[in-house]
Amino acid sequence: MSILVDKNTRLLVQGITGKEGLFHSELMRTYGTNIVAGVTPGKGGEWVLDEKIPVFDTVQTAVQTTEADASVIFVPAKFAFDSIYEAIDAHIPLIICITEGIPAMDMLKIKSLLKTSESILIGPNTPGVLTPGECKAGIIPGNISIPGSTGMISRSGTLTYEVLYAMKAKKLGVSTCVGIGGDAITGTSFIEMLSMFEQDPDTEEIVLIGEIGGNEEELAADYIMTEMTKPVIAYIAGITAPKGKRMGHAGAIIEGRAGSALQKIELFRKAGVKVAEYPEDIPALL
Amino acid sequence: MSILVDKNTRLLVQGITGKEGLFHSELMRTYGTNIVAGVTPGKGGEWVLDEKIPVFDTVQTAVQTTEADASVIFVPAKFAFDSIYEAIDAHIPLIICITEGIPAMDMLKIKSLLKTSESILIGPNTPGVLTPGECKAGIIPGNISIPGSTGMISRSGTLTYEVLYAMKAKKLGVSTCVGIGGDAITGTSFIEMLSMFEQDPDTEEIVLIGEIGGNEEELAADYIMTEMTKPVIAYIAGITAPKGKRMGHAGAIIEGRAGSALQKIELFRKAGVKVAEYPEDIPALL
Amino acid sequence: MKIQEYQAKQIFQKYEIPIPRGQVALNASFVRQIAEDLGDKVVVKAQVLVGGRGKAGGIRLADDPDEAEDIATEMMGMEINGFPIHKVLVEEAVDIKKELYLSIGTDRMNATPVIIASEYGGIDIEDAAEEAPEKIARIPIDPMVGLCDFQIRGLAVSIDLPRKHWKKFAQIANALWQIYQNDDASLVEINPLVISEQNGLMALDGKMTIDDNALFRHPELADLRDLDMENPSEVEAQKYGITYVHMTGNIGCLVNGAGLAMATMDILKLKGGEPANFLDIGGGAGAEKVSSALRILFSDPQVKAVLINIFGGITRCDEIAHGITAAIAEQKKLKVPLVIRLVGTNAEEGTKILEKQKLPIAHSLVEAAEKAISLSGVKKK
Amino acid sequence: MKIQEYQAKQIFQKYEIPIPRGQVALNASFVRQIAEDLGDKVVVKAQVLVGGRGKAGGIRLADDPDEAEDIATEMMGMEINGFPIHKVLVEEAVDIKKELYLSIGTDRMNATPVIIASEYGGIDIEDAAEEAPEKIARIPIDPMVGLCDFQIRGLAVSIDLPRKHWKKFAQIANALWQIYQNDDASLVEINPLVISEQNGLMALDGKMTIDDNALFRHPELADLRDLDMENPSEVEAQKYGITYVHMTGNIGCLVNGAGLAMATMDILKLKGGEPANFLDIGGGAGAEKVSSALRILFSDPQVKAVLINIFGGITRCDEIAHGITAAIAEQKKLKVPLVIRLVGTNAEEGTKILEKQKLPIAHSLVEAAEKAISLSGVKKK
């Protein structure tokens, strides 16, 4: 079992004919992901990936024709609002937006639209979701993780790969790995993912990889303390980050007094979470 | 019993120091309505109606101080969007907007805001709600109706008075009389009111007063046929109205082929509704 | 408020929607000049606010300036559905490859703006909606979000629009949304939107209705009202804040409230009479407004009797009575009989005032209608 | 992207928010001239993007043009928090009756814009938020609806603003919302917003942060970036699309991915070293980007060793290896030792390329960090 995606997921790729979209669609399909359709406005009627995957002009026609139930979005930042809204409007249950660099105002509007929708948005600025052995929906390298019983949630890309890789080296596998995205405004928070993993019978413990900025980790610590029965192991990046400087991720900036790595670590420890000192330390805590 | 308002209603009046607002607040209070507060921006701290009713600058402070649970709005059309949104934002359960002439675009936005709110909006362009003997929230003359077991719903003002008056002349009373408003876009439809009357143990039958334009009556006919157990008596104004001309009410225009009085009457008859030929004919059908 | 085609097209132009070159003219010699300036074949289009203009000969093609002038001379003397033609729009003739339909309007039932397109343009969209609804694509617009690119693409796909026109189509659809929103239009319609041989997409006709309730925030649009095109009594009534619609019967009606006014007309009809008009003096009307309303009814030669039906709420019946008295005093001799019914606020005071004038009072709406019909002297049996 | 006070005030002026009269100057003699033009007492304000300007002597009052010139001469030689002062804003001195606070920013937690006001302006709002949260009024704004009048009234009531200033306050709040929205600001702040003796409400200071992600739709705002104020290496890095933040340690870091870059710095610290910088080459970087990044690290005299940590996903390790090779080839002699760790996509190919160059390879992050610290020769025991 797993959360969000599995072998039955029928995946749509928005922006499938773009350079990134096509490259990663190849990788996803090679991994075994069931890609059922792509969308690129103006290219409806074409076929990609060995002429096996149909391309549509709109998400709605793609969904009507192929019954896609999840979408991965690879469009450039300036078109991302339109693409996410299009997926919401087509009632796609799971939307994963890989795109980075989306203006915060666009995301505020998307958050408002999500309130009256049944869709879940993962990201943006996420490496996506990986259920090892079943479905790779995004850009997480497929070969660095094996199936297992640890759920993983992260705000970061390569840092997550580092942890997956360190775990695999110790033969530790993952139920599902979810990147919630590195931006200040994301579709889904740690809490919602923690709750899904808590429900998932095949997840026995959860690794949470956080970083400076915002108060996602603070809220997660509180949630873990009050709601979670499964053990949680955390790692927080950014102890050495200076205040007020944006550290790559739009979300990774220490604003005022909230959001420092030390504060987050302290709250996690108070919530009974084992906190790793460095990424490669995590397998030892599992 | 009754729907929407009764003797326990704690009424707020938005625009209470304006000419219309003050005049009708006097009448409402004389009728026995429990007016607990008024709002007029810039006049917070004043007292009106024999210095008995406090005026606040904002709805929020008024609600916090007086626990008002219904609001009647008398502000000019250009401020109506702001006032209705203010009432929604303050979580007032029942909002009755008397104001006429509100731009349709403003109402489209209000309708969108109502979707994520618990508030009910009656109107705009309504004479309000009257529960005879208990609460008059709006401008329906208090002396033309007596308590009884007939629920009344209408899109019109004086036409409703005409029917109430004709009923009173025959000693027929009303549980609650609701004007849903004469505009093209209203907060609440006939259907929602029919459903409330259906639930109300003290309402035994319902009088519905419709007119040309829109398809509110068509939907109501359908609803009556499938959902209502209590008898409904209807009257529809506008048999003689020419096509395409606006007849006073912003909603009263026959657009295309829908909305004619004859079509509405026909559908009501099919739904088992007794349709009166003229307003004074209604008491005979009760 | 509906505006004329040429006015709608001026707004289109401001929003960069392609329209044919052309100009509006008030007389035939200027039509010739415009045709000369345009150079090639032209179309002469009557500017009237009623439908069926094409069938009535209000849109005609001219091969040269001479013919354009002749056509214009003819048209300027014509009436369409009773409305005289005072203005014509002269435009270059466009080679049409295909006619489409595109509009944004307000969907009352769902309380949202809606964008509508069809690959079968140039036809009556209501006919099409009844006969072949599958030919019409409708997409609701969230008024909080506005029209989005994916929705426009969805329409383009639905109407099988060739890809090379998508970009222009998106620009035109976005412009319509801007107009709908910025100008508080309740309808803005391009029918037909044509694919022309030379210039791609182009708005061949334009129709626009502006929300009367929103005119207060668009004084520049209120000025577009074409008073020529409206019944002079309706224009007069508007000045006083009275809603008046002229009709074909002979019993003038003066009522407070739109619903009651319609009900009053209906009962006249039911009892065998014919209402001469719809007239709503609104809520809380004073004596002066009543006098003005009565003056409008008295000036209508069709009117053989007047029925005044007032249910006082905000409106005070004594004010009404004073207004009636004043209007009658202006007339040397009362040319048409009156029937008056007053109920509600201050009805007693009002009745007393009228009794002094010896004016006939009715006590129910039915009684009032029957009296008015009998006094009009034209009751059908 | 933060912009300078004088730039924020230029935007304020465009939106009709009242500001003191004044002008920005690059030298002391122009400061004198501005002071002469303004006539009365003036305030000379250092234009730097760091906090604590007032306490550091960056805001001073001058009674006359002579004094203004003297102050400016002094300031232009100063540094605040390490940033030299190149520009000063000279403004008329304002008689202050009361200082308020007003801003619109983005509330990450609730994912909405939020308008914040306080009757205690001029102070650090974060201090105030911690010490006396009841003194601060916060109202979330629905991004779909925008700021509404009733919300502004709610704020005015909360901060006890005298009624005579409500209209101006509403105008200023609406202007802030327009700026926030039109310019994709993540913060636009007036602190203090003063009630002046002569002119009512006025923005005495202005602060504005623009969402970097939205700069693509505001080329005119991107031009406001004050390159003077930023670390030259950070500016250089930006050109290549590299995120670089200069720090005070001695081990240069070159990493792909922001989270991993922070983790790499953290592990250096944990093992007793000090990172010289944050550097993220982003995803899918080519050889050239890697060379440019290395060049930046090599040009930093603080750097005693460089740690390269790459986890290949989209990024290909062979590309990285080529970039490293090229950057090293440019150097006659490698001045600082390198430690390289490559994992993931094409790691084997990359490792082979580097082995040819005889560059030291680490196999885990811990090993890499420890090697780098030891090679930097300044390990604390």
Side-chain angles (χ1 to χ4, degrees):
Chain A
M1 272 270 294
S2 56
I3 66 166
L4 296 171
V5 298
D6 60 25
K7 59 184 184 303
N8 299 315
T9 298
R10 298 177 63 80
L11 194 69
L12 173 72
V13 180
Q14 288 177 257
I16 197 167
T17 62
K19 195 185 150 206
E20 290 234 342
L22 197 57
F23 176 71
H24 287 288
S25 294
E26 292 268 7
L27 293 181
M28 287 189 276
R29 207 160 74 99
T30 306
Y31 192 79
T33 304
N34 183 20
I35 300 181
V36 296
V39 166
T40 299
K43 303 221 167 165
E46 296 185 9
W47 292 77
V48 293
L49 303 182
D50 309 324
E51 307 292 309
K52 295 251 169 64
I53 307 296
V55 179
F56 296 87
D57 282 311
T58 67
V59 172
Q60 198 179 19
T61 49
V63 169
Q64 277 164 359
T65 314
T66 67
E67 292 176 1
D69 56 15
S71 180
V72 176
I73 298 178
F74 284 99
V75 306
K78 62 186 290 203
F79 304 122
F81 173 85
D82 194 65
S83 291
I84 299 172
Y85 185 24
E86 183 173 10
I88 294 171
D89 188 66
H91 304 288
I92 295 185
L94 176 66
I95 305 163
I96 300 164
C97 184
I98 308 299
T99 310
E100 66 174 287
I102 301 176
M105 182 55 98
D106 294 2
M107 279 309 301
L108 294 177
K109 290 184 179 166
I110 289 291
K111 287 287 278 185
S112 181
L113 289 168
L114 284 168
K115 275 185 211 157
T116 49
S117 143
E118 299 289 301
S119 299
I120 293 173
L121 172 67
I122 304 289
N125 192 11
T126 169
V129 182
L130 175 70
T131 293
E134 299 199 26
C135 181
K136 164 176 146 83
I139 65 173
I140 300 173
N143 60 352
I144 59 170
S145 187
I146 53 175
S149 61
T150 303
M152 189 173 304
I153 329 170
S154 169
R155 279 166 71 188
S156 160
T158 48
L159 176 54
T160 311
Y161 308 167
E162 187 79 71
V163 177
L164 290 173
Y165 182 76
M167 284 172 64
K168 185 184 174 188
K170 304 281 180 199
K171 306 240 180 318
L172 293 167
V174 161
S175 55
T176 299
C177 173
V178 186
I180 61 165
D183 280 0
I185 311 288
T186 54
T188 315
S189 68
F190 281 135
I191 289 176
E192 288 151 290
M193 294 300 109
L194 285 169
S195 149
M196 284 191 196
F197 278 127
E198 177 75 16
Q199 307 294 318
D200 177 37
D202 282 6
T203 298
E204 286 167 17
E205 61 201 338
I206 298 107
V207 171
L208 184 156
I209 300 167
E211 60 183 41
I212 52 165
N215 67 346
E216 283 279 311
E217 290 82 1
E218 287 80 342
L219 296 171
D222 203 48
Y223 184 82
I224 290 165
M225 184 137 65
T226 55
E227 308 288 335
M228 298 284 292
T229 63
K230 299 181 182 176
V232 179
I233 295 91
Y235 170 73
I236 306 290
I239 291 184
T240 48
K243 186 179 152 182
K245 280 280 189 179
R246 178 172 151 175
M247 308 299 270
H249 282 169
I253 184 172
I254 308 182
E255 291 156 321
R257 269 129 240 185
S260 83
L262 287 173
Q263 173 185 303
K264 289 169 197 275
I265 290 169
E266 192 191 321
L267 289 171
F268 272 129
R269 292 222 161 105
K270 274 193 196 154
V273 171
K274 283 184 263 181
V275 181
E277 287 200 304
Y278 52 94
E280 289 165 336
D281 188 25
I282 285 173
L285 300 179
L286 288 171
Chain B
M1 270 271 295
S2 56
I3 67 167
L4 297 169
V5 298
D6 59 25
K7 60 184 183 302
N8 299 314
T9 298
R10 299 177 63 80
L11 194 70
L12 173 72
V13 180
Q14 289 177 255
I16 197 167
T17 62
K19 195 185 152 206
E20 290 234 342
L22 197 57
F23 176 70
H24 287 288
S25 294
E26 293 266 8
L27 292 181
M28 287 189 277
R29 208 160 73 99
T30 306
Y31 191 79
T33 304
N34 182 20
I35 300 181
V36 296
V39 166
T40 298
K43 304 220 167 165
E46 296 184 9
W47 292 78
V48 293
L49 304 183
D50 308 324
E51 307 293 308
K52 294 250 168 65
I53 306 296
V55 179
F56 296 86
D57 283 312
T58 68
V59 171
Q60 199 181 15
T61 48
V63 170
Q64 277 165 1
T65 313
T66 66
E67 292 176 1
D69 56 13
S71 180
V72 176
I73 298 178
F74 283 100
V75 307
K78 62 186 289 203
F79 303 123
F81 173 85
D82 195 64
S83 292
I84 299 173
Y85 185 24
E86 184 173 10
I88 294 171
D89 189 65
H91 304 289
I92 295 184
L94 176 66
I95 304 163
I96 300 164
C97 184
I98 309 299
T99 309
E100 65 174 287
I102 302 176
M105 182 55 97
D106 294 1
M107 279 310 301
L108 294 177
K109 289 183 177 165
I110 289 291
K111 287 288 277 186
S112 182
L113 290 167
L114 285 168
K115 276 185 210 159
T116 51
S117 143
E118 299 289 301
S119 299
I120 293 174
L121 171 67
I122 303 287
N125 192 10
T126 169
V129 182
L130 175 71
T131 293
E134 299 200 25
C135 181
K136 162 177 147 87
I139 64 174
I140 300 172
N143 59 353
I144 58 171
S145 187
I146 52 174
S149 61
T150 302
M152 189 174 303
I153 329 168
S154 169
R155 280 167 69 188
S156 163
T158 46
L159 176 54
T160 311
Y161 309 166
E162 186 79 72
V163 177
L164 289 173
Y165 181 77
M167 283 171 64
K168 186 183 173 188
K170 305 280 180 200
K171 305 237 180 318
L172 293 166
V174 161
S175 55
T176 299
C177 173
V178 186
I180 62 166
D183 280 0
I185 312 287
T186 53
T188 314
S189 67
F190 280 136
I191 289 177
E192 288 151 291
M193 294 300 108
L194 284 169
S195 151
M196 284 190 195
F197 278 126
E198 176 74 16
Q199 307 294 318
D200 177 40
D202 282 5
T203 298
E204 286 167 18
E205 62 200 339
I206 298 108
V207 170
L208 185 155
I209 301 167
E211 59 184 42
I212 53 163
N215 66 345
E216 283 280 312
E217 290 82 0
E218 285 82 342
L219 296 171
D222 203 47
Y223 184 83
I224 290 164
M225 184 137 63
T226 56
E227 309 286 337
M228 298 284 294
T229 63
K230 297 180 182 175
V232 179
I233 294 91
Y235 170 73
I236 306 292
I239 291 184
T240 47
K243 187 178 152 181
K245 280 281 189 180
R246 179 173 152 171
M247 306 301 269
H249 282 169
I253 181 171
I254 308 180
E255 292 158 317
R257 268 128 239 184
S260 82
L262 287 173
Q263 175 186 301
K264 290 169 198 277
I265 289 169
E266 191 191 322
L267 289 172
F268 273 129
R269 293 222 160 106
K270 275 193 193 153
V273 172
K274 284 183 263 182
V275 181
E277 287 200 305
Y278 52 93
E280 289 165 337
D281 187 25
I282 287 175
L285 301 179
L286 289 170
Chain C
M1 182 186 97
K2 287 180 185 172
I3 61 172
Q4 298 280 11
E5 175 191 8
Y6 77 94
Q7 296 169 322
K9 281 184 171 166
Q10 280 164 5
I11 293 173
F12 288 180
Q13 197 163 30
K14 206 175 87 187
Y15 286 86
E16 298 180 2
I17 297 174
I19 53 168
R21 290 179 305 134
Q23 225 176 319
V24 72
L26 290 161
N27 60 60
S29 64
F30 190 48
V31 167
R32 159 184 282 277
Q33 197 187 310
I34 298 167
E36 276 167 5
D37 291 348
L38 290 172
D40 211 333
K41 290 180 189 179
V42 298
V43 181
V44 182
K45 306 177 82 177
Q47 298 299 288
V48 284
L49 288 178
V50 289
R53 183 174 58 154
K55 284 179 199 153
I59 303 177
R60 289 170 63 188
L61 186 72
D63 283 334
D64 54 48
D66 282 345
E67 195 182 353
E69 187 173 3
D70 291 348
I71 287 173
T73 308
E74 221 174 283
M75 266 190 201
M76 297 290 200
M78 268 170 58
E79 279 192 357
I80 296 183
N81 274 353
F83 286 94
I85 300 170
H86 292 136
K87 286 180 192 148
V88 297
L89 176 62
V90 187
E91 282 181 340
E92 59 177 339
V94 173
D95 276 332
I96 298 167
K97 272 175 67 182
K98 189 165 184 184
E99 296 191 324
L100 310 170
Y101 174 91
L102 184 66
S103 75
I104 298 182
T106 304
D107 178 345
R108 283 179 63 159
M109 185 157 99
N110 298 304
T112 63
V114 61
I115 182 163
I116 300 178
S118 173
E119 57 176 317
Y120 304 91
I123 51 168
D124 184 324
I125 197 70
E126 284 157 7
D127 282 332
E130 272 189 8
E131 290 156 23
E134 76 285 356
K135 288 182 184 166
I136 295 171
R138 299 168 53 98
I139 296 182
I141 300 170
D142 184 329
M144 297 306 206
V145 187
L147 182 63
C148 290
D149 287 342
F150 78 87
Q151 296 170 316
I152 300 172
R153 286 195 301 270
L155 276 189
V157 169
S158 297
I159 66 169
D160 266 334
L161 185 69
R163 290 230 168 90
K164 63 174 175 177
H165 299 301
W166 280 23
K167 204 175 152 187
K168 197 80 204 164
F169 183 72
Q171 188 222 305
I172 293 172
N174 277 315
L176 284 190
W177 171 249
Q178 291 306 318
I179 294 170
Y180 176 86
Q181 201 179 28
N182 296 350
D183 290 351
D184 276 294
S186 40
L187 175 70
V188 52
E189 179 183 78
I190 304 177
N191 186 22
L193 172 68
V194 302
I195 304 179
S196 71
E197 203 65 66
Q198 315 96 322
N199 302 310
L201 291 176
M202 190 176 254
L204 213 60
D205 199 353
K207 200 188 260 185
M208 210 173 139
T209 310
I210 296 157
D211 178 6
D212 292 271
N213 284 349
L215 283 177
F216 70 84
R217 52 190 178 205
H218 306 288
E220 79 291 354
L221 293 175
D223 291 345
L224 297 182
R225 187 183 290 277
D226 196 339
L227 300 179
D228 267 9
M229 296 306 303
E230 303 189 25
N231 179 294
S233 294
E234 293 180 11
V235 176
E236 177 76 7
Q238 229 163 55
K239 273 196 246 165
Y240 298 101
I242 296 163
T243 313
Y244 171 85
V245 179
H246 187 254
M247 292 177 63
T248 52
N250 52 31
I251 301 172
C253 302
L254 189 163
V255 190
N256 67 327
L260 189 56
M262 284 191 278
T264 305
M265 290 157 65
D266 291 352
I267 201 168
L268 280 172
K269 179 95 179 179
L270 184 74
K271 297 293 177 190
E274 287 289 341
N277 63 275
F278 168 95
L279 192 158
D280 171 17
I281 57 169
E288 208 186 335
K289 205 170 184 179
V290 177
S291 307
S292 311
L294 260 182
R295 244 176 265 132
I296 290 169
L297 297 186
F298 288 154
S299 71
D300 180 355
Q302 276 175 216
V303 167
K304 302 296 176 216
V306 168
L307 166 52
I308 298 173
N309 184 28
I310 301 295
F311 202 110
I314 327 178
T315 310
R316 286 162 45 195
C317 290
D318 52 334
E319 278 286 331
I320 301 287
H322 284 303
I324 296 171
T325 311
I328 288 172
E330 286 168 18
Q331 311 269 317
K332 282 182 192 144
K333 188 175 170 291
L334 200 58
K335 281 176 239 155
V336 295
L338 261 63
V339 181
I340 306 166
R341 174 172 175 256
L342 300 179
V343 201
T345 313
N346 296 3
E348 262 176 55
E349 291 89 329
T351 307
K352 264 182 213 157
I353 293 163
L354 295 176
E355 274 168 354
K356 274 188 220 154
Q357 304 285 328
K358 306 209 166 107
L359 288 167
I361 303 285
H363 297 94
S364 77
L365 184 47
V366 174
E367 183 198 336
E370 284 169 346
K371 268 195 185 162
I373 293 165
S374 122
L375 288 169
S376 73
V378 283
K379 182 171 176 175
K380 292 181 276 184
K381 283 282 165 178
Chain D
M1 182 185 96
K2 287 180 185 172
I3 61 172
Q4 298 280 11
E5 177 192 6
Y6 78 93
Q7 296 170 320
K9 281 183 171 167
Q10 280 164 6
I11 293 172
F12 287 180
Q13 198 163 28
K14 205 175 88 189
Y15 285 87
E16 297 179 5
I17 296 174
I19 53 168
R21 290 179 306 135
Q23 224 177 320
V24 72
L26 289 161
N27 60 59
S29 63
F30 190 48
V31 168
R32 159 184 284 278
Q33 197 187 310
I34 298 167
E36 277 168 4
D37 290 351
L38 289 173
D40 211 331
K41 289 182 191 178
V42 297
V43 181
V44 182
K45 306 177 83 176
Q47 298 299 288
V48 283
L49 288 178
V50 289
R53 188 175 54 155
K55 283 179 199 154
I59 303 177
R60 291 171 62 189
L61 186 73
D63 282 334
D64 54 47
D66 282 345
E67 197 184 351
E69 186 172 5
D70 291 348
I71 288 173
T73 308
E74 219 175 285
M75 265 191 199
M76 296 290 200
M78 269 170 58
E79 279 192 355
I80 295 183
N81 273 354
F83 286 94
I85 300 170
H86 292 137
K87 287 180 192 150
V88 296
L89 176 62
V90 187
E91 281 181 340
E92 60 176 338
V94 173
D95 276 333
I96 298 168
K97 273 176 67 182
K98 188 165 186 185
E99 296 190 324
L100 311 170
Y101 174 93
L102 184 65
S103 75
I104 298 182
T106 305
D107 178 345
R108 283 180 63 160
M109 187 157 101
N110 298 306
T112 62
V114 61
I115 182 163
I116 299 178
S118 172
E119 57 175 317
Y120 303 92
I123 52 167
D124 184 322
I125 196 71
E126 283 157 9
D127 282 331
E130 272 189 9
E131 290 155 23
E134 75 285 356
K135 289 181 182 166
I136 295 171
R138 299 166 54 97
I139 296 183
I141 300 170
D142 184 330
M144 297 305 206
V145 186
L147 181 63
C148 289
D149 288 342
F150 78 87
Q151 296 171 316
I152 301 173
R153 287 196 301 270
L155 276 188
V157 169
S158 297
I159 66 169
D160 266 332
L161 185 70
R163 291 232 168 89
K164 63 173 174 176
H165 299 301
W166 279 24
K167 203 175 154 189
K168 198 80 201 165
F169 183 74
Q171 189 220 305
I172 293 172
N174 276 317
L176 284 189
W177 172 249
Q178 290 305 318
I179 294 170
Y180 176 87
Q181 201 181 29
N182 296 350
D183 290 352
D184 276 295
S186 41
L187 176 72
V188 51
E189 181 184 77
I190 304 177
N191 186 21
L193 172 68
V194 301
I195 304 179
S196 71
E197 206 62 66
Q198 315 96 323
N199 301 309
L201 292 177
M202 190 177 256
L204 214 58
D205 199 353
K207 201 188 260 185
M208 209 173 140
T209 309
I210 295 157
D211 178 5
D212 292 275
N213 284 349
L215 283 177
F216 71 84
R217 50 189 177 206
H218 307 289
E220 77 294 353
L221 293 174
D223 291 344
L224 297 182
R225 186 183 290 279
D226 196 338
L227 300 179
D228 267 11
M229 297 305 303
E230 302 191 24
N231 179 294
S233 294
E234 293 181 9
V235 174
E236 176 75 7
Q238 228 165 55
K239 273 196 243 165
Y240 299 101
I242 296 163
T243 314
Y244 171 86
V245 178
H246 188 254
M247 292 177 64
T248 54
N250 52 32
I251 300 172
C253 302
L254 188 161
V255 190
N256 67 325
L260 189 56
M262 283 191 277
T264 305
M265 291 158 64
D266 291 353
I267 201 167
L268 280 171
K269 180 96 178 178
L270 183 75
K271 297 295 178 185
E274 287 290 341
N277 62 276
F278 168 95
L279 193 156
D280 170 18
I281 56 169
E288 207 186 336
K289 205 170 185 180
V290 177
S291 308
S292 310
L294 259 181
R295 243 176 265 133
I296 290 169
L297 297 187
F298 289 153
S299 71
D300 181 353
Q302 275 175 219
V303 167
K304 302 299 177 212
V306 168
L307 166 51
I308 300 174
N309 184 27
I310 301 296
F311 203 112
I314 328 178
T315 310
R316 286 162 44 195
C317 291
D318 52 334
E319 278 286 331
I320 301 288
H322 284 304
I324 297 171
T325 310
I328 288 172
E330 285 168 17
Q331 311 268 317
K332 282 182 192 149
K333 192 179 166 288
L334 201 57
K335 280 176 241 159
V336 296
L338 260 64
V339 180
I340 307 166
R341 174 172 175 259
L342 301 178
V343 200
T345 314
N346 296 3
E348 260 176 58
E349 291 87 329
T351 307
K352 265 181 212 159
I353 292 162
L354 295 175
E355 273 168 356
K356 273 186 219 156
Q357 304 286 328
K358 303 208 169 104
L359 288 167
I361 303 287
H363 297 94
S364 78
L365 182 46
V366 174
E367 185 198 335
E370 284 171 345
K371 267 193 187 167
I373 292 165
S374 126
L375 287 169
S376 75
V378 284
K379 182 170 176 175
K380 290 180 276 186
K381 282 285 162 174

